[in-house]
Amino acid sequence: AVVSTQSGHYGRAHKAMEEGEESKESTKFVSVVARACSIVEADLTHSLNLHMDGTGYVTGLSLHSSVEECLGRRSVASSFNTQATVSFPIVGASPDVHTFIQMKEKEDKKKTGEGTDKRSFLAKYWMYILPVALLLMMSMGQ
């Protein structure tokens, strides 16, 4: 719905209600307000952009005209020339959560000591101790 007053141009669109959201008059619509004189001085030419969310519901409106400052110029245009566009959010790259979780688990293991070897000294180095012990025993026997 669009309403023109002497000082302004007011537009609003129906907004989808969220589940459990209270139904107040202020939450039923999204609105845009522009100076009517800027649209008149732009020969009734303006652009209206409907901003949608990812599910297709209206989340906002924007109204632009080529005239930013009202100078009191009269228009000879008899009908509106509105360019309407619809814009959806651009979905960016999503994070690689699986790799991040694996990295955090490795860090946690390092902190808690789960990754360290808890065997005794002999259990860890028996393969080095055994040849040295055999060589010593053989050299003592000669």
Side-chain angles (χ1 to χ4, degrees):
V2 176
V3 177
S4 291
T5 64
Q6 194 171 24
S7 61
H9 188 73
Y10 173 77
R12 70 183 191 172
H14 187 71
K15 175 185 169 188
M17 302 298 291
E18 296 290 329
E19 211 171 295
E21 187 177 355
E22 287 187 33
S23 179
K24 297 178 186 173
E25 184 64 31
S26 62
T27 61
K28 289 183 183 178
F29 299 93
V30 290
S31 304
V32 63
V33 177
R35 295 183 68 177
C37 62
S38 68
I39 295 172
V40 169
E41 289 185 17
D43 294 327
L44 303 179
T45 301
H46 58 281
S47 62
L48 176 68
N49 192 354
L50 293 165
H51 302 279
M52 310 293 259
D53 64 4
T55 58
Y57 292 112
V58 176
T59 58
L61 296 170
S62 59
L63 183 74
H64 303 282
S65 70
S66 60
V67 175
E68 293 180 14
E69 188 176 321
C70 296
L71 301 173
R73 188 175 76 80
R74 298 275 181 212
S75 174
V76 293
S78 61
S79 63
F80 283 97
N81 181 13
T82 304
Q83 177 186 1
T85 56
V86 179
S87 62
F88 289 91
I90 298 171
V91 180
S94 61
D96 186 9
V97 178
H98 184 66
T99 306
F100 179 74
I101 290 172
Q102 286 178 342
M103 182 182 70
K104 284 295 186 185
E105 286 174 352
K106 285 181 185 178
E107 287 178 8
D108 290 344
K109 284 182 182 177
K110 285 181 183 177
K111 287 179 183 177
T112 59
E114 289 177 24
T116 59
D117 196 2
K118 295 183 179 180
R119 296 181 293 174
S120 68
F121 180 78
L122 287 174
K124 287 183 195 176
Y125 301 109
W126 68 269
M127 63 196 88
Y128 304 111
I129 297 171
L130 185 63
V132 171
L134 287 174
L135 282 174
L136 282 173
M137 287 172 43
M138 289 172 51
S139 66
M140 284 186 187
Q142 291 179 355

